[in-house]
Amino acid sequence: MKLPRALTIAGSDSGGGAGIQADLKTFTTLGVYGMTAITATTAQNTLEVKESFELPAELVKAQIEAVVEDIGVDAAKTGMLYSSRIIEAVAESLSGCGFPLVVDPVMVAKSGAVLLKPEAVAALKRRLFPLATLVTPNRAEAERLSGLKISGLKEAVEAAERIAEETGVEAVLVKGGHLEGEESIDILYRKGEVKRYASPRIETRNLHGSGCSFSAAIAGWLAKGESLPEAVGKAKIFITEAIRFGFPLGKGFGPVNPAVWLQLPAEKFHVLAKLSEAVERLEEAGETFARLMPEVQMNLAYALPKPYARTVEDVAAIPGRIVKIDGRVKASAPPRFGASSHLARALLKMMEFNPEARAAINLRFDRRLVEAAEALGFKVSSYRREEEPEEVKRVEGATIPWGIESAVRRLGEPPDLVYHLGGHGKEPMINLFGRDPVEVVEKALKLAARAGLTPAKP
């Protein structure tokens, strides 16, 4: 198979959040071989660009030509170009190359620092835009390039159309991150056609490098052979997740997280694999767990690590629960995410106090199990359902998180075991927590042995 190759022509960010650093992270995440032509070096962090140094235009040109001549390029993108001299050199190097080019017209950093000299804007439009497959301005950049004020989607379309008509660029993507509304809507204008790409607006300060990573993702998908509309659509999903799981680093605008595209699927794989291992161990000790089975049956849950664990869909468990058959227990189906509601909510609340407590199992209430836990040195706490406030009762699904929080506060620290004595129509229950599901299963077996609930050996 041919390895996709992408070139980024941009500045270096010493903070690692934007520029060529963000671009290379994005290329690698997408399975694209990344190459660089550095236009400038900056001394910056999440708060500011302290200094910048423009590289000689001849060196920028030489970097591009060296890569093109030997390794080859399937798509390229530009970021910080800084001056007319560099723009001219880049345009001369790319003229006639024939591969897709994404131009991110980087003008101002998140901190407000100027990354493109004002007099270079005309050169950007005149020399580089006609060579581009796509330009990706944000609202402020689109206003500068079009001369139009943008207050909504209608004006964004008009600005994109004017930029395309005046410069000859094939397509314009006006990004909606700086517009108002519950959704972030990007407008793609291409040959008279308009396509919208929407995603939920994420309230966060961790946005450093979002524009760089987005344009790099588009270039990466183009390098892999996707059409422009498909490349933009996939890059939109990519950058939304990169923003959602951005890094809270530094005192200013934290960087986005391009690697989440690989990290999250990898974490999900590990969760399911470990949960399957734990289920196998649980079924091996099926007679013991049959004695620990509540009337509502049993489940075993394992959450993604923080910060990925946010909702019940981020917690894997057994669909249909673990059931009792002929005096033993059996998982009714392979584990999957979103398969638990009650146990997942308990686990997510516990993780707010102890992020390492990512696994849990529910057991029938038996005073002998509680006493065994205390004897084994487990941290034990409880809550009383009759103490649940009326405002909590009125909220669907709020009882369990309230109970777990009450148990934590009663003990003064996150417990290993939480129990309650039930209530009207509610079975008494034990929730046992641990770092992973194998540990939880082994904890339950220790409790059963100590409490005398394991079957006698023949």
Side-chain angles (χ1 to χ4, degrees):
M1 290 179 62
K2 178 185 175 184
L3 178 64
R5 304 153 298 178
L7 169 65
T8 171
I9 306 166
S12 171
D13 173 5
S14 58
I20 60 166
Q21 285 83 354
D23 296 342
L24 288 176
K25 292 172 187 176
T26 299
F27 292 157
T28 300
T29 297
L30 295 181
V32 175
Y33 182 75
M35 302 160 289
T36 65
I38 302 175
T39 59
T41 58
T42 66
Q44 64 174 294
N45 50 34
T46 65
L47 290 169
E48 60 181 328
V49 178
K50 292 179 174 291
E51 290 187 38
S52 59
F53 178 78
E54 176 186 359
L55 269 66
E58 296 78 13
L59 179 57
V60 175
K61 183 180 178 183
Q63 292 177 78
I64 297 171
E65 292 175 350
V67 167
V68 172
E69 289 170 2
D70 177 39
I71 301 172
V73 176
D74 295 305
K77 66 146 290 188
T78 66
M80 176 186 179
L81 297 177
Y82 197 67
S83 71
S84 298
R85 290 190 299 274
I86 290 179
I87 292 171
E88 292 286 349
V90 171
E92 185 176 339
S93 300
L94 297 180
S95 181
C97 284
F99 47 74
L101 173 64
V102 178
V103 175
D104 184 8
V106 177
M107 296 181 181
V108 179
K110 285 280 188 297
S111 62
V114 175
L115 301 179
L116 181 68
K117 293 179 178 179
E119 62 271 18
V121 174
L124 187 70
K125 294 171 65 176
R126 176 176 55 84
R127 292 289 283 128
L128 207 53
F129 280 22
L131 303 176
T133 306
L134 176 72
V135 295
T136 61
N138 59 30
R139 183 181 69 175
E141 291 161 348
E143 287 179 340
R144 177 73 181 276
L145 294 168
S146 68
L148 299 176
K149 183 69 175 176
I150 300 174
S151 57
L153 297 180
K154 179 176 178 293
E155 294 86 357
V157 172
E158 292 172 354
E161 183 176 8
R162 177 173 292 188
I163 293 169
E165 290 179 348
E166 290 184 352
T167 66
V169 64
E170 180 180 333
V172 179
L173 182 72
V174 178
K175 296 175 290 189
H178 293 85
L179 297 175
E180 301 296 326
E182 294 183 359
E183 291 186 309
S184 173
I185 302 177
D186 302 337
I187 297 295
L188 176 64
Y189 177 87
R190 183 173 183 245
K191 300 178 180 178
E193 295 184 2
V194 176
K195 188 174 178 62
R196 298 183 180 187
Y197 299 86
S199 65
R201 188 174 298 279
I202 301 167
E203 296 300 327
T204 177
R205 284 183 60 81
N206 305 323
L207 294 166
H208 186 52
S210 56
C212 301
S213 299
F214 189 19
S215 57
I218 297 172
W221 286 113
L222 290 173
K224 297 175 80 169
E226 296 288 352
S227 68
L228 180 59
E230 283 294 317
V232 173
K234 290 183 176 182
K236 178 70 169 178
I237 298 171
F238 175 93
I239 196 59
T240 300
E241 294 306 293
I243 292 171
R244 189 188 310 279
F245 296 106
F247 297 115
L249 297 173
K251 302 180 182 67
F253 293 98
V256 298
N257 180 12
V260 71
W261 192 258
L262 290 179
Q263 291 171 345
L264 191 50
E267 291 289 356
K268 287 184 175 181
F269 172 83
H270 291 310
V271 164
L272 293 175
K274 197 70 174 180
L275 195 50
S276 296
E277 180 186 344
V279 168
E280 184 176 338
R281 178 72 180 98
L282 183 146
E283 291 178 345
E284 287 175 356
E287 290 185 60
T288 297
F289 277 96
R291 300 182 177 199
L292 305 178
M293 177 75 72
E295 291 295 326
V296 295
Q297 299 179 331
M298 180 183 290
N299 215 328
L300 179 62
Y302 191 26
L304 289 168
K306 290 287 188 180
Y308 303 129
R310 300 187 177 197
T311 73
V312 295
E313 296 299 319
D314 303 319
V315 180
I318 310 302
R321 304 184 186 182
I322 298 165
V323 299
K324 187 189 298 185
I325 303 175
D326 297 329
R328 300 183 65 85
V329 298
K330 181 72 176 176
S332 56
R336 66 174 173 81
F337 283 91
S340 167
S341 175
H342 292 77
L343 195 57
R345 291 201 299 272
L347 189 52
L348 289 169
K349 176 55 69 172
M350 183 61 75
M351 287 179 68
E352 292 182 14
F353 301 96
N354 179 11
E356 293 186 1
R358 294 171 48 197
I361 193 170
N362 66 307
L363 311 172
R364 72 178 177 88
F365 176 77
D366 188 316
R367 179 61 65 181
R368 290 173 293 178
L369 291 173
V370 175
E371 291 172 354
E374 292 173 336
L376 289 169
F378 289 6
K379 299 172 185 176
V380 176
S381 188
S382 64
Y383 64 93
R384 298 166 58 89
R385 296 184 72 102
E386 59 266 30
E387 295 177 352
E388 182 181 3
E390 286 298 322
E391 60 270 21
V392 175
K393 292 180 181 179
R394 289 193 292 267
V395 179
E396 181 69 25
T399 297
I400 291 174
W402 167 82
I404 297 298
E405 182 169 355
S406 298
V408 172
R409 298 196 185 285
R410 175 171 281 121
L411 185 64
E413 60 180 324
D416 301 295
L417 184 150
V418 174
Y419 70 90
H420 69 81
L421 300 179
H424 180 68
K426 301 294 183 182
E427 180 184 4
M429 194 69 63
I430 289 174
N431 285 338
L432 183 62
F433 299 90
R435 292 172 296 180
D436 64 62
V438 172
E439 180 184 83
V440 167
V441 168
E442 294 300 333
K443 278 185 172 181
L445 290 173
K446 289 180 181 178
L447 292 181
R450 182 83 181 199
L453 294 175
T454 53
K457 294 182 180 180

